[in-house]
Amino acid sequence: MSFDHRKYQATPGVAISDRQWPNNSLTTAPIWCSVDLRDGNQALVEPMTVDQKLRMWDLLVKLGFKQIEVGFPSASQPDFDFVRALIDGNRIPEDVTIQVLTQAREELIARSYEAMDGAKKAIVHVYNSTSPVQRERVFGMDKEGIKAIGVQGARWVKEYAEKYPNTEWSFQYSPESFSSTEVEYATEVCDAVIAEWHDTGKPIIINLPATVECTTPNVFADQVEWFCRNVKHRQDIIVSLHTHNDRGCAIAAAELGVMAGADRIEGTLLGNGERTGNMDIVTMAMNLYSQGVDPELDLSQMDEIIAVAEHCTNIPLHPRHPYAGDLVFTAFSGSHQDAIRKCMSKQGDDEHWQVAYLPIDPADLGRTYEAVIRINSQSGKGGVTWVLENDYGLNLPRWMQIDASRKVQAAAEEISGEISPQQIWELFEENYLKPVDGCAMQNFALSQDNAENDGRDALKLIFDYQGKSVEITGQGEGAISALVNGWRDHYGDTVEILDYSEHALNSGTSSQAIAYVMLSVNNTRYIGVAAHRDVVSASMQAVINAAAQSQAEAESQRKAG
C-alpha cells in the first residue's frame, strides 16, 4: 500500500472576484429542517424502530423544528408506514410541515404522494445527481440527459400534486453532489426545474447539497453566492443547504453558505449521518446563540436531547462534542479553574456573559456548575477551591487554598487520575478536620478578672490527647491568644499565630462556623481547621489541631531516636 497525495487533485474554485459573503454576518437563524428521520436513519447500522422514530419525532417537534424530513417512503416500507402513522395518528402539529425524499422516477413519486395523502402541509423533495463523476461513470449520460431527468421529475411532482388538492404542497429539488458539480451547470439544471414549477404558485425550495464535502468552506460559500447571483427567479425561491462532514467542516460550510445568501439549512441533531456525518444543527444553532442570536430552537435541556439521540441511533456522544459533550465545560487545568472561579464571582445577572474559558453559561443547557471544575494532577488551587466552596461551603483563605491544592494534587498524581468532589472532601477531613491523635477539646471556661489578669481573658481548657485528659490554662487578649499562651506554658513550645480566618458555613449547615489557623510552632508552620456550632469553640479546636501536629512529630522523632 502507498500513501501518495499525487493520486488526488484540488477541487476547482469559482470565478468570483467580488464575493460579498466575507462582509456579511449571521444575525438571524435560518429555516431549519431536520433530516434525522431520513438521512440520519439511513446511515445507521441498525435503522430506528417505529418506537424510536416516534420518540425522535416527538423530540424534534418539542425542540421547535417546523420542517422535518420523515423518510424515503417510496424506497422503504417501514418509512412508508411511519409517514402513514404520523398522518393517521394525527401526530403532526398545525405549524409543522413534513418532507419526504424521492428520486426523479414516476413510480417512486407516485408512491411518495400516496404516503403523504391526508397531510395538511408537505414538501416533496425530488433529486438527481449532476456531478461529472455521476454523469459519466454512474449514469453514462451527457449534461442534457441529466438535466432532462431533473425536468421530468419536476413535471411528475407537479402533476401528482394536482391529484391531492387538499394538501398544501411545497416542491423541493436537489442537484445531488452540487459541491462537486460545475456551478454553471448546476444552476442551469435548477433553472430548468424552477421553470416547471414557477407557474404553479407552490413554494419552491432549491437545495444545494455538499453530498460529499470536497473542498474548503470558503469555496463552498463562493459556489452558493455564485448560484444566488445567477439563478433565475431568485426572489421566488428558498435556497437551502445540506452539507456533509467529510472534511470536518460541515458546520463552517453551512454558516458561510448562509452568509453567501442561503435561507435554509438541513442537518441532524449532533451530526449523525453517512460517513463522517451530516451538518450538526445543535452546534450551528448554539453557535448563533453564543453570539446573541435567537436560534429559534429550544436547546435548554441538552441532556434530554443527548439521551434521545443516543437511544434512537445507538451511537454514544463523544465527551468533547461541542456544547453537548460531558467534558466541554470542564476545566482540569489549574489556571483555567482559577480564572473561571474569579470570573464567576464577578458575573452579574444583568450583564452579558463574561467568564473566561466558558463561551456560554452551562446553566443555559440545563447543566450544573458541579461539572465545570474537575480535579486531576493538572489542577491547581482554583479548582480545589471551587469544589470546596461550591459543594461544601468552605471559603478558604489563600494560604489554605495553596496547602489544600498541594495535598489534592499529590493524591491525584498517586492514582494517575481524576479526584471526585467526595474524595477531595475526604482528603480535607483527613488532613485538617480530623483531630491529631484524638486531640479533641472537651470543654472550656473563659473569664475576665481585671484585678488579677490586667483585663486579659483567662482560659481553662480540657481536651483529650491519646486517650488521656489534658488541662491547659492561660491568659491572653481573647480566647485564641490565651490558648496559645497556655499551650506554650504547658508544652514549652514557641507558638505564634501567623494567620487566622473564620466564617459561617453556608451549604445547608448555616448553624455551624468553621475556623482556619496557621501557626508557627518552634519555627515550623502548621495548619489547623475545625468546625463547630460555636465560633469560639471552632477557633480553639483549629489551634489545637495545628499545634498537636508538632507534638505528634516530636513524639515520632523521639521513638525513632
Side-chain angles (χ1 to χ4, degrees), residues 379-409:
S379 306
K381 63 180 176 58
V384 174
T385 301
W386 172 279
V387 169
L388 291 174
E389 179 178 339
N390 284 271
D391 290 15
Y392 300 100
L394 305 187
N395 188 6
L396 303 183
R398 179 173 174 78
W399 48 269
M400 186 80 221
Q401 295 173 19
I402 295 171
D403 194 76
S405 68
R406 287 172 179 166
K407 289 179 169 57
V408 173
Q409 185 174 23

PDB file of all heavy atoms in Angstrom, residues 379-409:
ATOM      1  N   SER A 379      -4.607  20.049  37.938  1.00  0.00           N
ATOM      2  CA  SER A 379      -5.409  21.099  38.554  1.00  0.00           C
ATOM      3  C   SER A 379      -4.610  21.861  39.597  1.00  0.00           C
ATOM      4  O   SER A 379      -3.627  21.369  40.143  1.00  0.00           O
ATOM      5  CB  SER A 379      -6.648  20.491  39.207  1.00  0.00           C
ATOM      6  OG  SER A 379      -7.359  19.703  38.269  1.00  0.00           O
ATOM      7  N   GLY A 380      -5.067  23.051  39.889  1.00  0.00           N
ATOM      8  CA  GLY A 380      -4.402  23.900  40.877  1.00  0.00           C
ATOM      9  C   GLY A 380      -5.350  24.292  41.984  1.00  0.00           C
ATOM     10  O   GLY A 380      -6.416  23.725  42.172  1.00  0.00           O
ATOM     11  N   LYS A 381      -4.946  25.334  42.703  1.00  0.00           N
ATOM     12  CA  LYS A 381      -5.728  25.764  43.864  1.00  0.00           C
ATOM     13  C   LYS A 381      -7.106  26.273  43.464  1.00  0.00           C
ATOM     14  O   LYS A 381      -8.063  26.148  44.239  1.00  0.00           O
ATOM     15  CB  LYS A 381      -4.968  26.843  44.636  1.00  0.00           C
ATOM     16  CG  LYS A 381      -4.707  28.132  43.861  1.00  0.00           C
ATOM     17  CD  LYS A 381      -3.950  29.122  44.712  1.00  0.00           C
ATOM     18  CE  LYS A 381      -3.601  30.373  43.906  1.00  0.00           C
ATOM     19  NZ  LYS A 381      -4.775  31.053  43.349  1.00  0.00           N
ATOM     20  N   GLY A 382      -7.213  26.847  42.263  1.00  0.00           N
ATOM     21  CA  GLY A 382      -8.514  27.369  41.855  1.00  0.00           C
ATOM     22  C   GLY A 382      -9.572  26.286  41.776  1.00  0.00           C
ATOM     23  O   GLY A 382     -10.710  26.478  42.193  1.00  0.00           O
ATOM     24  N   GLY A 383      -9.204  25.124  41.236  1.00  0.00           N
ATOM     25  CA  GLY A 383     -10.159  24.036  41.112  1.00  0.00           C
ATOM     26  C   GLY A 383     -10.555  23.449  42.439  1.00  0.00           C
ATOM     27  O   GLY A 383     -11.732  23.200  42.714  1.00  0.00           O
ATOM     28  N   VAL A 384      -9.573  23.201  43.297  1.00  0.00           N
ATOM     29  CA  VAL A 384      -9.862  22.657  44.623  1.00  0.00           C
ATOM     30  C   VAL A 384     -10.707  23.649  45.407  1.00  0.00           C
ATOM     31  O   VAL A 384     -11.671  23.280  46.080  1.00  0.00           O
ATOM     32  CB  VAL A 384      -8.552  22.337  45.367  1.00  0.00           C
ATOM     33  CG1 VAL A 384      -8.840  21.906  46.800  1.00  0.00           C
ATOM     34  CG2 VAL A 384      -7.770  21.258  44.629  1.00  0.00           C
ATOM     35  N   THR A 385     -10.368  24.924  45.300  1.00  0.00           N
ATOM     36  CA  THR A 385     -11.139  25.964  45.991  1.00  0.00           C
ATOM     37  C   THR A 385     -12.579  25.982  45.514  1.00  0.00           C
ATOM     38  O   THR A 385     -13.521  26.099  46.306  1.00  0.00           O
ATOM     39  CB  THR A 385     -10.485  27.338  45.753  1.00  0.00           C
ATOM     40  OG1 THR A 385      -9.140  27.298  46.244  1.00  0.00           O
ATOM     41  CG2 THR A 385     -11.250  28.437  46.442  1.00  0.00           C
ATOM     42  N   TRP A 386     -12.765  25.854  44.202  1.00  0.00           N
ATOM     43  CA  TRP A 386     -14.108  25.859  43.625  1.00  0.00           C
ATOM     44  C   TRP A 386     -14.949  24.723  44.200  1.00  0.00           C
ATOM     45  O   TRP A 386     -16.088  24.913  44.628  1.00  0.00           O
ATOM     46  CB  TRP A 386     -14.016  25.727  42.109  1.00  0.00           C
ATOM     47  CG  TRP A 386     -15.342  25.528  41.429  1.00  0.00           C
ATOM     48  CD1 TRP A 386     -16.033  24.358  41.313  1.00  0.00           C
ATOM     49  CD2 TRP A 386     -16.149  26.519  40.795  1.00  0.00           C
ATOM     50  NE1 TRP A 386     -17.207  24.554  40.639  1.00  0.00           N
ATOM     51  CE2 TRP A 386     -17.300  25.864  40.310  1.00  0.00           C
ATOM     52  CE3 TRP A 386     -15.994  27.888  40.584  1.00  0.00           C
ATOM     53  CZ2 TRP A 386     -18.291  26.549  39.626  1.00  0.00           C
ATOM     54  CZ3 TRP A 386     -16.988  28.555  39.896  1.00  0.00           C
ATOM     55  CH2 TRP A 386     -18.122  27.897  39.424  1.00  0.00           C
ATOM     56  N   VAL A 387     -14.392  23.522  44.210  1.00  0.00           N
ATOM     57  CA  VAL A 387     -15.135  22.361  44.688  1.00  0.00           C
ATOM     58  C   VAL A 387     -15.502  22.525  46.163  1.00  0.00           C
ATOM     59  O   VAL A 387     -16.655  22.315  46.564  1.00  0.00           O
ATOM     60  CB  VAL A 387     -14.318  21.075  44.471  1.00  0.00           C
ATOM     61  CG1 VAL A 387     -14.967  19.894  45.200  1.00  0.00           C
ATOM     62  CG2 VAL A 387     -14.196  20.778  42.987  1.00  0.00           C
ATOM     63  N   LEU A 388     -14.539  22.906  46.975  1.00  0.00           N
ATOM     64  CA  LEU A 388     -14.805  23.035  48.406  1.00  0.00           C
ATOM     65  C   LEU A 388     -15.770  24.180  48.702  1.00  0.00           C
ATOM     66  O   LEU A 388     -16.569  24.103  49.640  1.00  0.00           O
ATOM     67  CB  LEU A 388     -13.493  23.232  49.160  1.00  0.00           C
ATOM     68  CG  LEU A 388     -12.567  22.000  49.180  1.00  0.00           C
ATOM     69  CD1 LEU A 388     -11.238  22.338  49.830  1.00  0.00           C
ATOM     70  CD2 LEU A 388     -13.235  20.836  49.912  1.00  0.00           C
ATOM     71  N   GLU A 389     -15.711  25.218  47.895  1.00  0.00           N
ATOM     72  CA  GLU A 389     -16.616  26.351  48.112  1.00  0.00           C
ATOM     73  C   GLU A 389     -18.026  26.034  47.646  1.00  0.00           C
ATOM     74  O   GLU A 389     -19.003  26.271  48.359  1.00  0.00           O
ATOM     75  CB  GLU A 389     -16.083  27.584  47.377  1.00  0.00           C
ATOM     76  CG  GLU A 389     -16.964  28.815  47.528  1.00  0.00           C
ATOM     77  CD  GLU A 389     -16.381  30.040  46.838  1.00  0.00           C
ATOM     78  OE1 GLU A 389     -15.159  30.060  46.593  1.00  0.00           O
ATOM     79  OE2 GLU A 389     -17.152  30.963  46.552  1.00  0.00           O
ATOM     80  N   ASN A 390     -18.149  25.468  46.426  1.00  0.00           N
ATOM     81  CA  ASN A 390     -19.471  25.266  45.845  1.00  0.00           C
ATOM     82  C   ASN A 390     -20.171  24.026  46.374  1.00  0.00           C
ATOM     83  O   ASN A 390     -21.398  23.999  46.457  1.00  0.00           O
ATOM     84  CB  ASN A 390     -19.360  25.190  44.316  1.00  0.00           C
ATOM     85  CG  ASN A 390     -19.149  26.548  43.691  1.00  0.00           C
ATOM     86  OD1 ASN A 390     -20.104  27.238  43.363  1.00  0.00           O
ATOM     87  ND2 ASN A 390     -17.903  26.938  43.536  1.00  0.00           N
ATOM     88  N   ASP A 391     -19.400  22.997  46.717  1.00  0.00           N
ATOM     89  CA  ASP A 391     -20.018  21.763  47.186  1.00  0.00           C
ATOM     90  C   ASP A 391     -20.128  21.686  48.708  1.00  0.00           C
ATOM     91  O   ASP A 391     -21.031  21.031  49.224  1.00  0.00           O
ATOM     92  CB  ASP A 391     -19.225  20.548  46.681  1.00  0.00           C
ATOM     93  CG  ASP A 391     -19.370  20.344  45.182  1.00  0.00           C
ATOM     94  OD1 ASP A 391     -19.822  21.275  44.501  1.00  0.00           O
ATOM     95  OD2 ASP A 391     -19.029  19.254  44.687  1.00  0.00           O
ATOM     96  N   TYR A 392     -19.216  22.367  49.404  1.00  0.00           N
ATOM     97  CA  TYR A 392     -19.173  22.195  50.858  1.00  0.00           C
ATOM     98  C   TYR A 392     -19.197  23.506  51.639  1.00  0.00           C
ATOM     99  O   TYR A 392     -19.119  23.501  52.859  1.00  0.00           O
ATOM    100  CB  TYR A 392     -17.940  21.368  51.253  1.00  0.00           C
ATOM    101  CG  TYR A 392     -17.968  19.998  50.625  1.00  0.00           C
ATOM    102  CD1 TYR A 392     -17.226  19.719  49.485  1.00  0.00           C
ATOM    103  CD2 TYR A 392     -18.784  18.999  51.146  1.00  0.00           C
ATOM    104  CE1 TYR A 392     -17.278  18.464  48.893  1.00  0.00           C
ATOM    105  CE2 TYR A 392     -18.837  17.745  50.563  1.00  0.00           C
ATOM    106  CZ  TYR A 392     -18.087  17.477  49.427  1.00  0.00           C
ATOM    107  OH  TYR A 392     -18.154  16.240  48.839  1.00  0.00           O
ATOM    108  N   GLY A 393     -19.295  24.625  50.956  1.00  0.00           N
ATOM    109  CA  GLY A 393     -19.474  25.899  51.625  1.00  0.00           C
ATOM    110  C   GLY A 393     -18.236  26.464  52.286  1.00  0.00           C
ATOM    111  O   GLY A 393     -18.337  27.350  53.130  1.00  0.00           O
ATOM    112  N   LEU A 394     -17.036  25.992  51.905  1.00  0.00           N
ATOM    113  CA  LEU A 394     -15.800  26.470  52.528  1.00  0.00           C
ATOM    114  C   LEU A 394     -15.229  27.649  51.751  1.00  0.00           C
ATOM    115  O   LEU A 394     -15.023  27.559  50.542  1.00  0.00           O
ATOM    116  CB  LEU A 394     -14.750  25.349  52.576  1.00  0.00           C
ATOM    117  CG  LEU A 394     -15.174  24.038  53.258  1.00  0.00           C
ATOM    118  CD1 LEU A 394     -13.970  23.114  53.362  1.00  0.00           C
ATOM    119  CD2 LEU A 394     -15.779  24.295  54.628  1.00  0.00           C
ATOM    120  N   ASN A 395     -14.953  28.726  52.450  1.00  0.00           N
ATOM    121  CA  ASN A 395     -14.362  29.915  51.838  1.00  0.00           C
ATOM    122  C   ASN A 395     -12.908  29.998  52.306  1.00  0.00           C
ATOM    123  O   ASN A 395     -12.574  30.705  53.260  1.00  0.00           O
ATOM    124  CB  ASN A 395     -15.157  31.149  52.249  1.00  0.00           C
ATOM    125  CG  ASN A 395     -14.725  32.390  51.502  1.00  0.00           C
ATOM    126  OD1 ASN A 395     -13.901  32.326  50.602  1.00  0.00           O
ATOM    127  ND2 ASN A 395     -15.282  33.520  51.892  1.00  0.00           N
ATOM    128  N   LEU A 396     -12.041  29.267  51.619  1.00  0.00           N
ATOM    129  CA  LEU A 396     -10.674  29.108  52.086  1.00  0.00           C
ATOM    130  C   LEU A 396      -9.859  30.381  51.904  1.00  0.00           C
ATOM    131  O   LEU A 396      -9.919  31.006  50.834  1.00  0.00           O
ATOM    132  CB  LEU A 396      -9.978  27.978  51.317  1.00  0.00           C
ATOM    133  CG  LEU A 396     -10.612  26.589  51.333  1.00  0.00           C
ATOM    134  CD1 LEU A 396      -9.728  25.605  50.591  1.00  0.00           C
ATOM    135  CD2 LEU A 396     -10.873  26.120  52.744  1.00  0.00           C
ATOM    136  N   PRO A 397      -9.074  30.766  52.912  1.00  0.00           N
ATOM    137  CA  PRO A 397      -8.105  31.857  52.695  1.00  0.00           C
ATOM    138  C   PRO A 397      -7.027  31.377  51.709  1.00  0.00           C
ATOM    139  O   PRO A 397      -6.842  30.171  51.508  1.00  0.00           O
ATOM    140  CB  PRO A 397      -7.526  32.096  54.085  1.00  0.00           C
ATOM    141  CG  PRO A 397      -7.753  30.828  54.833  1.00  0.00           C
ATOM    142  CD  PRO A 397      -9.013  30.233  54.290  1.00  0.00           C
ATOM    143  N   ARG A 398      -6.322  32.308  51.119  1.00  0.00           N
ATOM    144  CA  ARG A 398      -5.388  31.963  50.053  1.00  0.00           C
ATOM    145  C   ARG A 398      -4.333  30.958  50.514  1.00  0.00           C
ATOM    146  O   ARG A 398      -4.015  29.999  49.801  1.00  0.00           O
ATOM    147  CB  ARG A 398      -4.716  33.235  49.519  1.00  0.00           C
ATOM    148  CG  ARG A 398      -3.714  32.939  48.413  1.00  0.00           C
ATOM    149  CD  ARG A 398      -3.183  34.194  47.776  1.00  0.00           C
ATOM    150  NE  ARG A 398      -2.126  33.899  46.827  1.00  0.00           N
ATOM    151  CZ  ARG A 398      -2.311  33.443  45.605  1.00  0.00           C
ATOM    152  NH1 ARG A 398      -3.530  33.218  45.164  1.00  0.00           N
ATOM    153  NH2 ARG A 398      -1.288  33.191  44.806  1.00  0.00           N
ATOM    154  N   TRP A 399      -3.755  31.152  51.702  1.00  0.00           N
ATOM    155  CA  TRP A 399      -2.722  30.224  52.156  1.00  0.00           C
ATOM    156  C   TRP A 399      -3.276  28.823  52.364  1.00  0.00           C
ATOM    157  O   TRP A 399      -2.582  27.829  52.192  1.00  0.00           O
ATOM    158  CB  TRP A 399      -2.071  30.740  53.442  1.00  0.00           C
ATOM    159  CG  TRP A 399      -3.034  31.181  54.516  1.00  0.00           C
ATOM    160  CD1 TRP A 399      -3.523  32.439  54.696  1.00  0.00           C
ATOM    161  CD2 TRP A 399      -3.619  30.366  55.523  1.00  0.00           C
ATOM    162  NE1 TRP A 399      -4.379  32.475  55.765  1.00  0.00           N
ATOM    163  CE2 TRP A 399      -4.456  31.218  56.305  1.00  0.00           C
ATOM    164  CE3 TRP A 399      -3.524  29.027  55.870  1.00  0.00           C
ATOM    165  CZ2 TRP A 399      -5.191  30.755  57.388  1.00  0.00           C
ATOM    166  CZ3 TRP A 399      -4.254  28.559  56.957  1.00  0.00           C
ATOM    167  CH2 TRP A 399      -5.073  29.421  57.703  1.00  0.00           C
ATOM    168  N   MET A 400      -4.562  28.771  52.702  1.00  0.00           N
ATOM    169  CA  MET A 400      -5.223  27.473  52.856  1.00  0.00           C
ATOM    170  C   MET A 400      -5.469  26.841  51.479  1.00  0.00           C
ATOM    171  O   MET A 400      -5.346  25.621  51.312  1.00  0.00           O
ATOM    172  CB  MET A 400      -6.538  27.690  53.586  1.00  0.00           C
ATOM    173  CG  MET A 400      -7.273  26.435  53.958  1.00  0.00           C
ATOM    174  SD  MET A 400      -6.624  25.668  55.436  1.00  0.00           S
ATOM    175  CE  MET A 400      -6.700  23.965  54.936  1.00  0.00           C
ATOM    176  N   GLN A 401      -5.814  27.654  50.500  1.00  0.00           N
ATOM    177  CA  GLN A 401      -6.019  27.151  49.141  1.00  0.00           C
ATOM    178  C   GLN A 401      -4.750  26.468  48.625  1.00  0.00           C
ATOM    179  O   GLN A 401      -4.795  25.378  48.039  1.00  0.00           O
ATOM    180  CB  GLN A 401      -6.391  28.299  48.195  1.00  0.00           C
ATOM    181  CG  GLN A 401      -7.710  28.972  48.492  1.00  0.00           C
ATOM    182  CD  GLN A 401      -7.927  30.203  47.620  1.00  0.00           C
ATOM    183  OE1 GLN A 401      -7.275  30.362  46.577  1.00  0.00           O
ATOM    184  NE2 GLN A 401      -8.834  31.081  48.034  1.00  0.00           N
ATOM    185  N   ILE A 402      -3.626  27.116  48.837  1.00  0.00           N
ATOM    186  CA  ILE A 402      -2.354  26.582  48.335  1.00  0.00           C
ATOM    187  C   ILE A 402      -2.031  25.248  48.992  1.00  0.00           C
ATOM    188  O   ILE A 402      -1.678  24.268  48.331  1.00  0.00           O
ATOM    189  CB  ILE A 402      -1.229  27.600  48.577  1.00  0.00           C
ATOM    190  CG1 ILE A 402      -1.483  28.867  47.745  1.00  0.00           C
ATOM    191  CG2 ILE A 402       0.128  26.996  48.245  1.00  0.00           C
ATOM    192  CD1 ILE A 402      -0.542  30.016  48.086  1.00  0.00           C
ATOM    193  N   ASP A 403      -2.178  25.188  50.308  1.00  0.00           N
ATOM    194  CA  ASP A 403      -1.840  23.960  51.020  1.00  0.00           C
ATOM    195  C   ASP A 403      -2.781  22.816  50.640  1.00  0.00           C
ATOM    196  O   ASP A 403      -2.342  21.687  50.400  1.00  0.00           O
ATOM    197  CB  ASP A 403      -1.896  24.215  52.528  1.00  0.00           C
ATOM    198  CG  ASP A 403      -1.239  23.100  53.318  1.00  0.00           C
ATOM    199  OD1 ASP A 403       0.009  23.062  53.345  1.00  0.00           O
ATOM    200  OD2 ASP A 403      -1.957  22.262  53.884  1.00  0.00           O
ATOM    201  N   ALA A 404      -4.074  23.110  50.573  1.00  0.00           N
ATOM    202  CA  ALA A 404      -5.054  22.059  50.246  1.00  0.00           C
ATOM    203  C   ALA A 404      -4.846  21.544  48.830  1.00  0.00           C
ATOM    204  O   ALA A 404      -4.933  20.333  48.573  1.00  0.00           O
ATOM    205  CB  ALA A 404      -6.471  22.601  50.414  1.00  0.00           C
ATOM    206  N   SER A 405      -4.572  22.438  47.883  1.00  0.00           N
ATOM    207  CA  SER A 405      -4.390  22.010  46.493  1.00  0.00           C
ATOM    208  C   SER A 405      -3.176  21.105  46.342  1.00  0.00           C
ATOM    209  O   SER A 405      -3.182  20.166  45.540  1.00  0.00           O
ATOM    210  CB  SER A 405      -4.265  23.226  45.573  1.00  0.00           C
ATOM    211  OG  SER A 405      -3.067  23.934  45.819  1.00  0.00           O
ATOM    212  N   ARG A 406      -2.123  21.371  47.111  1.00  0.00           N
ATOM    213  CA  ARG A 406      -0.945  20.507  47.036  1.00  0.00           C
ATOM    214  C   ARG A 406      -1.276  19.083  47.484  1.00  0.00           C
ATOM    215  O   ARG A 406      -0.818  18.108  46.877  1.00  0.00           O
ATOM    216  CB  ARG A 406       0.166  21.090  47.901  1.00  0.00           C
ATOM    217  CG  ARG A 406       0.813  22.339  47.316  1.00  0.00           C
ATOM    218  CD  ARG A 406       1.768  22.972  48.305  1.00  0.00           C
ATOM    219  NE  ARG A 406       2.403  24.164  47.730  1.00  0.00           N
ATOM    220  CZ  ARG A 406       3.059  25.064  48.439  1.00  0.00           C
ATOM    221  NH1 ARG A 406       3.168  24.919  49.760  1.00  0.00           N
ATOM    222  NH2 ARG A 406       3.611  26.111  47.857  1.00  0.00           N
ATOM    223  N   LYS A 407      -2.060  18.968  48.528  1.00  0.00           N
ATOM    224  CA  LYS A 407      -2.422  17.642  49.021  1.00  0.00           C
ATOM    225  C   LYS A 407      -3.323  16.914  48.023  1.00  0.00           C
ATOM    226  O   LYS A 407      -3.168  15.708  47.785  1.00  0.00           O
ATOM    227  CB  LYS A 407      -3.106  17.769  50.379  1.00  0.00           C
ATOM    228  CG  LYS A 407      -2.152  18.169  51.504  1.00  0.00           C
ATOM    229  CD  LYS A 407      -2.847  18.302  52.838  1.00  0.00           C
ATOM    230  CE  LYS A 407      -1.846  18.436  53.985  1.00  0.00           C
ATOM    231  NZ  LYS A 407      -0.915  19.563  53.853  1.00  0.00           N
ATOM    232  N   VAL A 408      -4.268  17.632  47.420  1.00  0.00           N
ATOM    233  CA  VAL A 408      -5.149  17.018  46.436  1.00  0.00           C
ATOM    234  C   VAL A 408      -4.370  16.621  45.189  1.00  0.00           C
ATOM    235  O   VAL A 408      -4.566  15.535  44.626  1.00  0.00           O
ATOM    236  CB  VAL A 408      -6.309  17.971  46.079  1.00  0.00           C
ATOM    237  CG1 VAL A 408      -7.133  17.409  44.915  1.00  0.00           C
ATOM    238  CG2 VAL A 408      -7.201  18.198  47.285  1.00  0.00           C
ATOM    239  N   GLN A 409      -3.462  17.497  44.752  1.00  0.00           N
ATOM    240  CA  GLN A 409      -2.665  17.191  43.569  1.00  0.00           C
ATOM    241  C   GLN A 409      -1.795  15.958  43.800  1.00  0.00           C
ATOM    242  O   GLN A 409      -1.658  15.103  42.911  1.00  0.00           O
ATOM    243  CB  GLN A 409      -1.791  18.384  43.183  1.00  0.00           C
ATOM    244  CG  GLN A 409      -1.030  18.171  41.870  1.00  0.00           C
ATOM    245  CD  GLN A 409      -0.298  19.428  41.442  1.00  0.00           C
ATOM    246  OE1 GLN A 409      -0.005  20.285  42.255  1.00  0.00           O
ATOM    247  NE2 GLN A 409       0.005  19.527  40.162  1.00  0.00           N
TER     248      GLN A 409
END
